[in-house]
Amino acid sequence: MLNFIRNSIVRVFSTVVLIGIVLGLGIFTLIIGMYNYDRSMAELQTKASNTANLAAISLVEPVWNFDDAALQGIVKAILLDVDVQGIRVTKAGSDKAELETVREGLSVKTFEELLKNPTNVQTSAKIKREEKDIASVQIITSTNKVQALVRYTSVLVAVFAAVLVLLLSGFIWLLGKRIIQRPIEALRVSADQLASGNLNYAIDTSRRDEL
C-alpha cells in the first residue's frame, strides 16, 4: 500500500492533504460534540433547578398540613416530566424521608440507587414557610435525552465529514493530476524528445512555476 502511494507524486500529495483534512474534521467533530454536550447539560441543570424550586413552592402547604393526598398529587404532576427519575421530601432536622418516589419502569427501585448513578443530575431546594425551613425536596433528573442528542449530533457530523472527505478526495486527485502529473508528463516527453536527438521539439515555457 505504501509503495503504491510512493510511486506517484499525485497520490502522495492527495494522501498528505486528505490526512490533514481527516484530522481537522475529526477535531471539529470532537469540539462540536463537547460544545453540544456542555450546552445541553447546562440547559438540563437549569431546568432541573427550576423544577426543584417550583416543587418546593408547591409542597409548602401539603408538607405543613400533613396533607398526603395533595403531596402525592404534586409528586405525580412533577413526574409528568419524563426526565425526572425520582423525588424525595425530607422534614427539616430529620434524616428520614417523609416521601420517596421512584419512577415506575426503571431498572433501579430505590432513591439511593438513583443517587449513586453518576450520569444523573441531582438538585434540591428548601421548603420554607414564613422564612423558616420546614423540609427539603430532592429531585433526580436523567441525562439520557442529552446523551441521545449528543450521539445523534455526532453521527450527523461524522456522516457529513465522511461525505465531505469523499468529495474532497476526488477533487484533490483531479487537481493533483492537473497541476502536478500533467506538467511532469509533458516534461518527461520533452526530455525524451531531446534525448532522442529531436532538437527541434518545441518545449512549452509558458508556465511561471518551477515546472
Side-chain angles (χ1 to χ4, degrees), residues 152-170:
Y152 177 74
T153 304
S154 299
V155 169
L156 282 182
V157 173
V159 170
F160 170 77
V163 172
L164 185 60
V165 166
L166 288 176
L167 293 175
L168 287 175
S169 62

Side-chain angles (χ1 to χ4, degrees), residues 74-117:
I74 293 172
V75 167
K76 287 181 180 179
I78 295 171
L79 286 173
L80 290 176
D81 183 345
V82 295
D83 291 330
V84 176
Q85 302 288 287
I87 304 170
R88 172 192 279 172
V89 178
T90 307
K91 283 288 188 71
S94 173
D95 294 331
K96 185 179 179 181
E98 182 77 11
L99 174 104
E100 195 171 276
T101 302
V102 175
R103 178 181 293 279
E104 294 181 1
L106 298 179
S107 57
V108 298
K109 301 300 180 184
T110 66
F111 195 86
E112 289 299 327
E113 289 180 273
L114 289 175
L115 288 174
K116 292 177 182 178
N117 188 340

Side-chain angles (χ1 to χ4, degrees), residues 5 50 65 80 91-92 127 129 161 182 200:
I5 295 174
N50 291 338
N65 296 320
L80 290 176
K91 283 288 188 71
I127 301 175
R129 192 174 192 276
R182 287 182 183 177
N200 294 321

Side-chain angles (χ1 to χ4, degrees), residues 8-99:
S8 170
I9 293 178
V10 174
R11 286 195 287 268
V12 172
F13 170 75
S14 300
T15 301
V16 171
V17 173
L18 282 175
I19 289 174
I21 291 173
V22 169
L23 289 175
L25 288 174
I27 294 172
F28 174 75
T29 302
L30 180 62
I31 291 173
I32 289 295
M34 291 175 62
Y35 169 77
N36 193 34
Y37 177 78
D38 289 342
R39 188 186 66 178
S40 299
M41 283 300 296
E43 291 176 352
L44 183 65
Q45 289 276 7
T46 301
K47 174 188 171 184
S49 179
N50 291 338
T51 301
N53 291 332
L54 181 61
I57 295 171
S58 303
L59 290 168
V60 172
E61 294 305 321
V63 169
W64 181 257
N65 296 320
F66 302 98
D67 190 341
D68 188 61
L71 201 63
Q72 293 292 342
I74 293 172
V75 167
K76 287 181 180 179
I78 295 171
L79 286 173
L80 290 176
D81 183 345
V82 295
D83 291 330
V84 176
Q85 302 288 287
I87 304 170
R88 172 192 279 172
V89 178
T90 307
K91 283 288 188 71
S94 173
D95 294 331
K96 185 179 179 181
E98 182 77 11
L99 174 104

Side-chain angles (χ1 to χ4, degrees), residues 130-164:
E130 297 177 354
E131 302 301 322
K132 181 180 179 182
D133 293 346
I134 60 173
S136 63
V137 57
Q138 284 180 286
I139 294 180
I140 302 296
T141 306
S142 171
T143 60
N144 290 340
K145 287 175 69 174
V146 170
Q147 294 174 17
L149 176 62
V150 171
R151 284 194 297 269
Y152 177 74
T153 304
S154 299
V155 169
L156 282 182
V157 173
V159 170
F160 170 77
V163 172
L164 185 60

Side-chain angles (χ1 to χ4, degrees), residues 175-186:
L175 184 64
K177 193 171 183 180
R178 181 178 179 83
I179 67 175
I180 297 178
Q181 187 172 350
R182 287 182 183 177
I184 290 177
E185 182 65 20

